[in-house]
Amino acid sequence: MTTPRVFIIRHGETEWSLNGRHTGVSDIPLTANGEKRIRATGRALVGPDRLIVPKNLAHIFVSPRKRAQRTLELLGLGCNEPVPWGQHGDLEGSSVEGMKAKIEVTDQIREWDYGDYEGVTSQEIAKRRAENGEGTWDIWRDGCPGGESPQQITERLDAFIKDLRVRFHAHAIGKKKGTVTEPYDVLIVAHGHILRAFAGRWVGKDIAHNPSLILEAGGVGTLSYEHHSLDEPAILLGGAFMSDVVENIEAEAR
């Protein structure tokens, strides 16, 4: 039975991610090491026999920030059409064919607006609040002064998730494999806090209680469903990435 997936990828390393500065609207480029690691991630995870199968991608959502867009450029997806922004560098070469997914830049997955805490580390925030006689700070509970609240994040992500499921998953989920002719997987390239919140809301968790999820720079996560049911969203902790390939080979041999 077909069970669609959502792949979430956090942008590669930047100078600010290295030193823990909250990076929302600031357009900080990837470091050379960040670019190198994303290229390696693409080679390891993208391909007809890998975790992310380009021909199965129905749609790709990318944040408006250059660090996320550059990350997509380096994954080696074999895009058939030009990326919908002024290219930030050379595209990673790829022998992968068959990727027809549209690439869409959307504010729905932009990073959390950190407001007054933009460019500030958690340690500096704690010191500032102590000096002002304020209590401890938890972004999941408190949001950001001058920025977004957990409720605002929840509202924009819930609308995004609802639309994603209707447009790209509903037609395929639970159908017999081989009967679904349209691609159904979705790829999202964005940022640490918003993707952690996205994963939390995917399974209906109140992010104000902290989704207790970690996604490192350049990290990849997978979301899906239990029991081939659109009503049972789940976080995929691990998968048999080669299973579809083995099944196809066995089918061709019969």
Side-chain angles (χ1 to χ4, degrees):
M1 302 291 280
T2 302
T3 304
R5 293 172 292 182
V6 176
F7 303 108
I8 56 174
I9 301 181
R10 182 182 173 187
H11 65 77
E13 175 190 277
T14 69
E15 288 295 337
W16 281 22
S17 71
L18 272 176
N19 58 33
R21 297 172 69 180
H22 289 81
T23 319
V25 297
S26 301
D27 247 343
I28 309 300
L30 301 187
T31 63
N33 188 53
E35 293 206 356
K36 178 181 177 181
R37 289 186 175 184
I38 291 298
R39 287 189 179 96
T41 296
R43 289 193 293 270
L45 298 184
V46 175
D49 59 350
R50 309 295 168 85
L51 173 63
I52 301 173
V53 180
K55 70 180 180 65
N56 285 346
L57 291 177
H59 207 75
I60 299 172
F61 292 101
V62 187
S63 160
R65 303 284 86 83
K66 292 179 181 178
R67 57 193 180 276
Q69 296 170 0
R70 182 60 180 149
T71 296
L72 181 73
E73 292 176 355
L74 295 171
L75 285 173
L77 285 166
C79 304
N80 290 331
E81 297 182 2
V83 293
W85 54 77
Q87 208 168 294
H88 305 308
D90 293 337
L91 290 177
E92 178 68 6
S94 174
S95 59
V96 175
E97 297 181 357
M99 209 285 285
K100 299 179 180 179
K102 178 182 177 182
I103 301 171
E104 178 181 350
V105 177
T106 174
D107 272 331
Q108 288 183 296
I109 54 164
R110 70 185 186 276
E111 181 57 296
W112 199 308
D113 185 344
Y114 295 120
D116 297 347
Y117 293 158
E118 178 76 12
V120 185
T121 67
S122 294
Q123 292 78 10
E124 291 170 337
I125 292 170
K127 181 180 179 181
R128 181 188 300 180
R129 291 176 69 90
E131 291 173 348
N132 294 335
E134 299 172 317
T136 59
W137 176 67
D138 183 335
I139 189 172
W140 307 106
R141 178 193 66 213
D142 306 320
C144 299
E148 287 182 289
S149 68
Q151 181 59 35
Q152 289 173 310
I153 293 294
T154 296
E155 289 173 359
R156 70 169 159 109
L157 288 179
D158 283 358
F160 178 57
I161 289 170
K162 181 179 179 181
D163 179 62
L164 183 157
R165 288 177 177 157
V166 170
R167 291 171 62 192
F168 305 113
H169 287 176
H171 77 280
I173 194 163
K175 303 290 178 61
K176 187 176 179 180
K177 285 189 175 180
T179 65
V180 182
T181 58
E182 295 295 322
Y184 41 79
D185 289 339
V186 172
L187 173 65
I188 300 173
V189 185
H191 312 270
H193 270 120
I194 200 63
L195 288 176
R196 290 161 67 191
F198 176 85
R201 290 309 301 157
W202 182 263
V203 294
K205 188 166 185 176
D206 185 347
I207 65 169
H209 298 156
N210 189 336
S212 301
L213 300 167
I214 297 173
L215 188 62
E216 296 179 340
V220 180
T222 308
L223 309 177
S224 191
Y225 304 90
E226 285 194 273
H227 308 123
H228 314 292
S229 171
L230 204 65
D231 297 322
E232 298 182 68
I235 295 174
L236 182 60
L237 296 179
F241 305 145
M242 292 290 290
S243 60
D244 287 347
V245 177
V246 173
E247 289 171 4
N248 291 338
I249 292 173
E250 291 175 343
E252 291 171 1
R254 288 197 290 268

